[in-house]
Amino acid sequence: MKAAYIFNFSKFVTWKQQIDDTIVVCLDTVNELLIHQLKGLEGKPVADKYLHISKFDRTTKEDVASHCHILYSDIHAESLSLKLHRVLVVTDSMELNSIIAFHVNNGKLSFEINAGRAEANDLHISSKLLQLASKVYR
Amino acid sequence: MRKWRLKTKLVAAIMAINAIGMLVIGVTFINKNLVLLDSRLESRINTELDLMAQNIGAATLFRDKESAAEMLATLSVDSAIIGAELFAVNKSDPLAFYYRKSKQHTYQPVANGSAARSGKEVIVDGEIQGRLDLIYTSLEISYHTQQLFIFSLTVFSVATLLVLLGALRTQEIITGPIIALNQLSRRVAQTKDYSLRSDINKQDEIGELSREFNRMLKQVQDRDTMLEKQVQQRTAELEKLAEEFRHRAFHDALTGLPNRAFLSEYFDTAVAHARRNNSSMLLMLLDLDNFKTINDSLGHNFGDELLKIVSHKLKNSLRSNDIIVRLGGDEFIILIENADKSSDSLKVTHRLAEGILEHVQGDTLIYDQRIRVTASIGGAFFPDHGTDLIALKRSADIAMYSSKNHGRNRFSLFEASMENTAAQRLVIQNGLREALLENQLQVVYQPKVDARQNRVVGCEALVRWEHPVHGLLLPDMFIPFAEENSIIRNIDYFVLETACAQAYHWCRHHQPLHISVNLSPDHFTDHKIVSRIREVLGKTKLSPALLEVEITEAMLINDADLALDILTCIHNLGITISLDDFGTGYSSLNYLRTLPVDIVKLDRAFIKNILSDPHDARLVRGVIALAKGLELDTLAEGVETEAQMQHLLTIGCSLMQGYYYQKPCSAKAFEQWLLAWSGMNLPRPDASHILNL
């Protein structure tokens, strides 16, 4: 379910910086099911671009922003002292760096959006997505 | 609708045109609006569908039912939308839906025609994520239409009201004058008052009509006045004419005297008056003597002139309150009211009548011809001799006849005995035909003597009637009535045949004797008498030389030329013609020259006074001289004495007839007389012969 969400999020987010033709989704998780599910979406078109799923290796400490457009992390993202500028950070709970955070409400998966941070990260989130969010932070 | 007043028609027409116009506009307007509303609703629904399909994309993508439902609920702002259903791809159950909850718009899946469904795919990022259906109703259009209709109706009503007011005003302007004219013409028709005028003074056609109407009225009025004048004039003329006719109806055209009709009317009044006053009334019937002869011999113009003069004389002879009426012909009636019939007054009456006769008689000069006129009058008293006009006139008529019979030129008052005579006359007239059939007629003979030679030259055959009741009747008593009936011809034929047979008998057995027969003027209207004489001569074998025919001047009455021709024919048979009663009529001596006459018979009236009246003696002498000049013989009738005979001989008339010799007698008596006379009187030698010796 989360995989679909993540994929769908890509459709309602606009990056201010120029993106070539690939939206890179970086996964910072050990959840193999999720990885597998997302991997299934590899190469799927999003608007005029294609989706690319990439495994994020914390250890490499590489600059996320340099190649990731969406970063999913279920491992305390705030611990990621990364330069996350221009990156849509999706986490399982609202943390310091989170822009979209999943949470389960009455057994139903929903999400919260930190619109303020998204703005700060030069991301534009469609109002349609904002409408769907169970909570929006400004 | 045809009976509507002009006013109603005009208003109705305006209202109808207005209604049609507004209806067309209204229908067009509403229809246009409907189309517009329809397209507007559709485009709005489509816009909303588009918007919602776009907005709801995310919710669909994330299968967010709550959000989707919330979003769909926002459609409630549009009252037309009664429902919305959002389906995920390949899902038949809606992911989210919205149905309007209201009494008016309860959603029903199967809409009753007013609901429609419009759907659109929900596309996110080029991928179809689901489908959105909107269910909407067009009830708002009906509602709007209704509103529009109400509005239109209001506008229509207001407009109609305004138009009605306008139309009423308009018709007043247009029909007002027409109605006024109409009322005027009706008033004119009812009252016949052509002096009425229309006071409409407009410059349009109505004004023109009104002026024409006025002109027409004036013409009618003028004509009326003219006609009235004409009628008055005509009435006056007619009254004059009627007066003239009345006068003409009651007056005689020739003499101007009142006529029979007047008498009939007046008599009743006079009788009523006489009855009231218990007085008598004298009716006199006046008849001119010999008028018929005058009229026949001198012409009708002469007769008319004579009647005029006599009328004038009669009028002058009467008192102003006596009435004179011309009955016709030469008959006049004089009505004298308040006449007293006591013996003294009878003298007065006679004097009065004689006065009238004196006035009438005397010589009168007409057309340079002197004529002696006399009249006979019969009188009868009301009520003694008749109580009504017919009876009274009849009595007067009888009296008048009596006057005629007693020598004319006299007055006779009716007496009861006269009536017998009159009755006899009727009996005679009716009995003549029977007399002929039953041989009641006899022929008698009177000798004609040549006194100079003392010789019987012939005899005149005369007729007698042996009446079974009244005895022997002389010709004077029945011949005039026979002449009225034309039965005279048969009587003359009878005498002719009998006399001829007798003459032949005498010729054979005694001596040849001239026999003369009288012919009535009635024979001289056709040639029948000529053939009849020839027949009789043939039958009796008598020589025409022994036959003599005696005629009177009256034969020339009808057609003188024809009569002359007939007489010439008779004369040509070798028969002697003698002119009877010469000197009594008004014929001129000229006849003696023109008629084929051989002998002139001097009337007994002249012979009667020949010795006492020098005037008559002179006249007889003149006639004899004249006849001699014309080489005609003369015969004197009615010779009764020897003195007369001698006198006639001295003045040159030798042929004689009369009682001096022998009265008319039967053939047998005549034979005896002839024998006796011949024995006594040998033919005397001619006197002239003696004188010559």
Side-chain angles (χ1 to χ4, degrees):
Chain A
M1 204 58 180
K2 277 178 188 170
Y5 270 51
I6 290 162
F7 170 66
N8 286 343
F9 287 154
S10 68
K11 293 176 178 172
F12 297 100
V13 176
T14 317
W15 287 267
K16 286 187 178 169
Q17 80 192 84
Q18 200 61 40
I19 296 173
D20 294 335
D21 57 349
T22 312
I23 295 172
V24 181
V25 179
C26 300
L27 299 172
D28 176 29
T29 185
V30 292
N31 186 343
E32 288 303 323
L33 180 64
L34 187 64
I35 291 164
H36 176 72
Q37 281 171 339
L38 277 167
K39 278 282 185 197
L41 297 171
E42 176 67 36
K44 211 164 169 38
V46 177
D48 52 346
K49 301 173 178 66
Y50 299 97
L51 208 62
H52 173 64
I53 309 299
S54 156
K55 182 93 174 82
F56 180 71
D57 190 0
R58 258 185 206 231
T59 55
T60 61
K61 309 264 187 192
E62 61 194 300
D63 189 2
V64 174
S66 59
H67 65 282
C68 287
H69 293 104
I70 299 171
L71 171 66
Y72 172 72
S73 172
D74 59 353
I75 315 152
H76 302 294
E78 67 249 47
S79 61
L80 290 170
S81 53
L82 301 169
K83 284 186 182 168
L84 297 171
H85 191 62
R86 296 180 188 125
V87 176
L88 178 68
V89 178
V90 181
T91 59
D92 280 352
S93 61
M94 192 51 82
E95 295 171 29
L96 193 62
N97 294 321
S98 299
I99 290 174
I100 297 175
F102 287 114
H103 83 102
V104 178
N105 195 5
N106 293 333
K108 185 182 175 291
L109 185 66
S110 72
F111 55 86
E112 296 172 343
I113 295 172
N114 191 336
R117 186 166 299 149
E119 209 61 47
N121 278 9
D122 278 349
L123 291 168
H124 175 73
I125 297 171
S126 164
S127 63
K128 292 171 188 170
L129 194 62
L130 290 173
Q131 273 182 331
L132 294 177
S134 58
K135 197 170 181 184
V136 176
Y137 300 92
R138 298 284 171 186
Chain B
M1 202 150 87
R2 272 191 199 163
K3 286 185 182 172
W4 286 2
R5 315 300 308 254
L6 191 59
K7 177 171 143 176
T8 322
K9 278 182 190 169
L10 195 65
V11 171
I14 293 173
M15 295 313 291
I17 292 165
N18 171 58
I20 290 166
M22 285 209 287
L23 207 66
V24 169
I25 293 170
V27 168
T28 314
F29 176 62
I30 290 172
N31 194 45
K32 250 310 189 241
N33 251 287
L34 264 175
V35 173
L36 189 71
L37 278 174
D38 211 38
S39 72
R40 236 189 236 170
L41 175 70
E42 209 170 307
S43 76
R44 195 180 78 214
I45 295 294
N46 282 334
T47 308
E48 277 170 343
L49 186 63
D50 283 351
L51 210 64
M52 187 53 72
Q54 225 171 14
N55 286 344
I56 212 157
T60 312
L61 202 63
F62 292 102
R63 305 282 190 272
D64 190 341
K65 290 181 181 178
E66 287 83 1
S67 289
E70 271 172 34
M71 285 175 77
L72 289 178
T74 60
L75 288 170
S76 68
V77 292
D78 189 342
S79 63
I81 295 167
I82 53 170
E85 289 169 350
L86 179 67
F87 299 92
V89 181
N90 299 329
K91 291 281 167 51
S92 58
D93 288 333
L95 181 71
F97 57 82
Y98 154 76
Y99 298 127
R100 179 172 290 275
K101 297 259 186 344
S102 92
K103 274 179 190 172
Q104 281 170 309
H105 305 289
T106 311
Y107 170 69
Q108 284 166 310
V110 181
N112 54 5
S114 66
R117 180 181 282 266
S118 184
K120 190 173 170 71
E121 279 148 352
V122 178
I123 298 168
V124 181
D125 202 16
E127 264 185 87
I128 294 168
Q129 295 300 334
R131 198 167 59 85
L132 178 65
D133 279 2
L134 285 189
I135 300 145
Y136 63 96
T137 171
S138 55
L139 270 176
E140 67 169 50
I141 293 175
S142 324
Y143 176 71
H144 269 110
T145 309
Q146 207 178 323
Q147 291 294 312
L148 205 61
F149 189 72
I150 290 165
F151 175 72
S152 299
L153 213 61
T154 315
V155 170
F156 182 83
S157 308
V158 171
T160 304
L161 197 68
L162 289 173
V163 168
L164 181 66
L165 291 173
L168 284 171
R169 181 73 194 114
T170 307
Q171 71 77 21
E172 212 170 280
I173 291 166
I174 293 171
T175 62
I178 294 175
I179 288 165
L181 264 179
N182 185 31
Q183 282 170 345
L184 181 66
S185 65
R186 194 176 300 167
R187 210 160 64 239
V188 169
Q190 277 168 354
T191 61
K192 307 275 182 237
D193 181 2
Y194 297 111
S195 63
L196 292 172
R197 290 289 180 273
S198 160
D199 53 1
I200 298 164
N201 191 21
K202 287 188 174 183
Q203 294 306 315
D204 56 8
E205 289 89 335
I206 297 285
E208 224 166 89
L209 179 66
S210 155
R211 278 189 293 281
E212 284 301 314
F213 187 71
N214 282 345
R215 220 176 61 184
M216 211 162 70
L217 279 177
K218 191 177 180 311
Q219 280 177 355
V220 171
Q221 193 182 11
D222 287 352
R223 195 175 304 170
D224 235 27
T225 319
M226 200 179 72
L227 275 177
E228 212 164 299
K229 263 186 209 159
Q230 277 183 349
V231 164
Q232 279 174 357
Q233 201 179 328
R234 206 58 64 78
T235 307
E237 278 170 17
L238 279 175
E239 274 171 5
K240 214 173 124 189
L241 208 62
E243 183 53 47
E244 207 180 302
F245 273 118
R246 225 179 344 259
H247 186 270
R248 219 179 264 187
F250 288 112
H251 288 81
D252 174 49
L254 179 68
T255 61
L257 292 179
N259 61 8
R260 188 189 295 268
F262 174 87
L263 180 67
S264 302
E265 292 231 329
Y266 184 80
F267 188 78
D268 292 343
T269 334
V271 162
H273 185 256
R275 286 227 166 95
R276 254 200 320 279
N277 298 345
N278 203 19
S279 63
S280 289
M281 184 160 65
L282 176 64
L283 185 140
M284 292 200 278
L285 183 69
L286 183 145
D287 187 284
L288 293 182
D289 296 333
N290 293 315
F291 180 75
K292 193 169 182 292
T293 319
I294 296 170
N295 219 7
D296 292 339
S297 52
L298 297 174
H300 290 283
N301 285 345
F302 192 95
D304 285 351
E305 206 56 41
L306 177 61
L307 283 171
K308 275 195 226 171
I309 289 166
V310 168
S311 298
H312 189 71
K313 282 180 174 178
L314 283 172
K315 221 169 171 182
N316 287 341
S317 71
L318 293 171
R319 298 170 300 189
S320 63
N321 49 348
D322 294 336
I323 304 294
I324 173 138
V325 168
R326 184 184 170 214
L327 277 190
D330 59 335
E331 275 192 332
F332 297 86
I333 276 185
I334 298 156
L335 196 65
I336 293 157
E337 293 180 77
N338 300 319
D340 202 337
K341 58 179 193 300
S342 65
S343 59
D344 270 359
S345 307
L346 275 180
K347 282 181 195 159
V348 175
T349 304
H350 273 276
R351 264 211 299 281
L352 181 72
E354 274 151 22
I356 292 169
L357 287 172
E358 258 170 52
H359 255 94
V360 172
Q361 76 182 6
D363 288 357
T364 304
L365 195 68
I366 299 167
Y367 297 147
D368 293 336
Q369 189 140 359
R370 194 164 292 280
I371 195 164
R372 199 178 141 93
V373 185
T374 55
S376 301
I377 303 177
F381 273 108
F382 170 89
D384 296 23
H385 304 143
T387 50
D388 57 41
L389 183 57
I390 294 169
L392 202 57
K393 192 182 151 265
R394 187 175 160 272
S395 298
D397 201 31
I398 290 165
M400 200 269 288
Y401 258 94
S402 172
S403 288
K404 294 255 181 200
N405 287 338
H406 287 89
R408 298 166 175 168
N409 196 16
R410 67 179 67 228
F411 168 73
S412 308
L413 189 61
F414 177 79
E415 286 166 26
S417 61
M418 289 176 181
E419 197 152 23
N420 297 336
T421 317
Q424 260 179 1
R425 209 171 93 220
L426 211 67
V427 168
I428 287 162
Q429 224 163 0
N430 292 337
L432 269 173
R433 218 168 283 277
E434 208 180 320
L436 265 172
L437 288 172
E438 298 187 356
N439 291 321
Q440 291 173 6
L441 295 183
Q442 297 173 358
V443 179
V444 292
Y445 307 89
Q446 187 174 34
K448 289 175 181 177
V449 176
D450 184 339
R452 203 179 299 282
Q453 298 179 3
N454 227 5
R455 183 169 65 94
V456 175
V457 290
C459 62
E460 182 182 358
L462 295 160
V463 68
R464 295 285 184 273
W465 182 6
E466 188 70 50
H467 197 277
V469 180
H470 303 286
L472 194 73
L473 299 180
L474 294 174
D476 288 352
M477 299 179 77
F478 62 92
I479 291 297
F481 312 132
E483 281 182 327
E484 284 170 22
N485 280 348
S486 278
I487 200 167
I488 185 71
R489 285 196 182 203
N490 292 331
I491 294 173
D492 281 356
Y493 295 154
F494 168 75
V495 173
L496 177 71
E497 198 171 335
T498 312
C500 284
Q502 186 62 57
Y504 181 73
H505 175 79
W506 284 332
C507 191
R508 286 284 303 269
H509 300 101
H510 299 277
Q511 61 177 93
L513 279 172
H514 251 102
I515 187 131
S516 69
V517 175
N518 289 285
L519 284 188
S520 162
D522 196 57
H523 293 291
F524 293 90
T525 51
D526 56 62
H527 284 80
K528 201 177 169 190
I529 184 65
V530 182
S531 53
R532 195 65 195 242
I533 289 171
R534 214 184 273 129
E535 249 177 65
V536 169
L537 288 175
K539 192 175 165 190
T540 58
K541 299 174 194 159
L542 184 72
S543 161
L546 290 178
L547 183 61
E548 181 183 329
V549 161
E550 295 191 11
I551 53 147
T552 62
E553 292 145 341
M555 63 165 267
L556 297 161
I557 282 170
N558 293 314
D559 188 340
D561 291 337
L562 179 65
L564 187 60
D565 186 54
I566 295 163
L567 194 64
T568 308
C569 285
I570 296 171
H571 194 239
N572 289 345
L573 290 174
I575 294 167
T576 308
I577 310 283
S578 61
L579 189 59
D580 206 0
D581 301 339
F582 188 79
T584 51
Y586 292 89
S587 52
S588 87
L589 292 167
N590 200 32
Y591 288 148
L592 292 177
R593 224 174 21 217
T594 52
L595 292 175
V597 172
D598 305 299
I599 299 166
V600 177
K601 290 182 84 175
L602 287 164
D603 194 70
R604 69 183 72 240
F606 297 115
I607 307 303
K608 190 179 174 189
N609 303 323
I610 195 166
L611 295 174
S612 55
D613 189 337
H615 175 79
D616 282 1
R618 235 182 358 260
L619 199 118
V620 170
R621 240 190 344 259
V623 171
I624 292 166
L626 188 75
K628 201 160 264 170
L630 293 169
E631 295 181 332
L632 302 176
D633 283 330
T634 44
L635 185 144
E637 283 184 291
V639 178
E640 291 180 352
T641 63
E642 187 173 0
Q644 288 170 346
M645 183 269 282
Q646 290 298 345
H647 180 79
L648 283 165
L649 263 180
T650 54
I651 58 173
C653 176
S654 56
L655 298 176
M656 292 174 209
Q657 184 182 349
Y659 278 29
Y660 173 66
Y661 294 102
Q662 170 69 336
K663 58 180 181 186
C665 56
S666 68
K668 211 158 200 90
F670 183 83
E671 276 169 31
Q672 283 168 4
W673 172 83
L674 189 63
L675 277 174
W677 198 82
S678 301
M680 282 199 312
N681 299 290
L682 290 167
R684 206 188 281 179
D686 196 329
S688 58
H689 178 67
I690 293 168
L691 283 172
N692 285 344
L693 282 172

